[in-house]
Amino acid sequence: MPSNPCPGCLFGKFSRVRFGKRFPENLATKPLERVYSDVCGPFPVTALTSNAKYVCLFIDEFPRYVFVYLIERKSHVFKALKQFVRESRRLTGCPVNELICLQTDNGGV
């Protein structure tokens, strides 16, 4: 090996520091305590059963359930949220006011 290796060779030899484990106090301890949401699309093709070009996702952190809703426009996200709350309430038995944190990426237009 040369005595003065190039910066790229040095960088390639570095090992990455592992990501730390999440602290247990930051994890959700019951259903609907922390829910993540995202909207994907528009896709170039529509869904087979509807004119949906977007997908709205809700992920409940505690049980790791993923709810997927097909929507036609981004303006229909609120309807998907209401449907998610109804369905998750029916599945978990938790009242609506138990939804403590809804985290999104504040998506643009």
Side-chain angles (χ1 to χ4, degrees), residues 39-59:
V39 178
C40 305
F43 295 105
V45 295
T46 59
L48 293 174
T49 57
S50 66
N51 289 329
K53 287 193 155 215
Y54 293 89
V55 174
C56 184
L57 301 170
F58 295 98
I59 304 165

Side-chain angles (χ1 to χ4, degrees), residues 15-17 21 32-33 38-39 44-45 52 56 61 68 70 74 78 80 87 94 99 101 104:
S15 60
R16 290 191 313 179
V17 177
K21 293 188 177 189
L32 301 179
E33 186 174 354
D38 199 9
V39 178
V45 295
C56 184
E61 183 180 278
V68 179
L70 301 175
K74 279 190 170 184
F78 186 65
E87 289 179 10
C94 294
L99 178 62
C101 178
T104 66

Side-chain angles (χ1 to χ4, degrees), residues 21-100:
K21 293 188 177 189
R22 295 180 73 183
F23 296 108
E25 62 268 9
N26 292 340
L27 296 176
T29 57
K30 58 187 175 184
L32 301 179
E33 186 174 354
R34 186 174 295 131
V35 176
Y36 302 98
S37 178
D38 199 9
V39 178
C40 305
F43 295 105
V45 295
T46 59
L48 293 174
T49 57
S50 66
N51 289 329
K53 287 193 155 215
Y54 293 89
V55 174
C56 184
L57 301 170
F58 295 98
I59 304 165
D60 190 349
E61 183 180 278
F62 177 70
R64 300 283 186 199
Y65 286 155
V66 178
F67 296 81
V68 179
Y69 299 96
L70 301 175
I71 56 177
E72 292 180 21
R73 297 184 189 96
K74 279 190 170 184
S75 60
H76 294 171
V77 171
F78 186 65
K79 285 173 34 177
L81 175 63
K82 290 195 301 188
Q83 186 176 351
F84 162 73
V85 169
R86 272 195 310 271
E87 289 179 10
S88 58
R89 197 175 153 196
R90 180 180 52 82
L91 288 172
T92 62
C94 294
V96 175
N97 59 358
E98 291 288 318
L99 178 62
I100 295 173

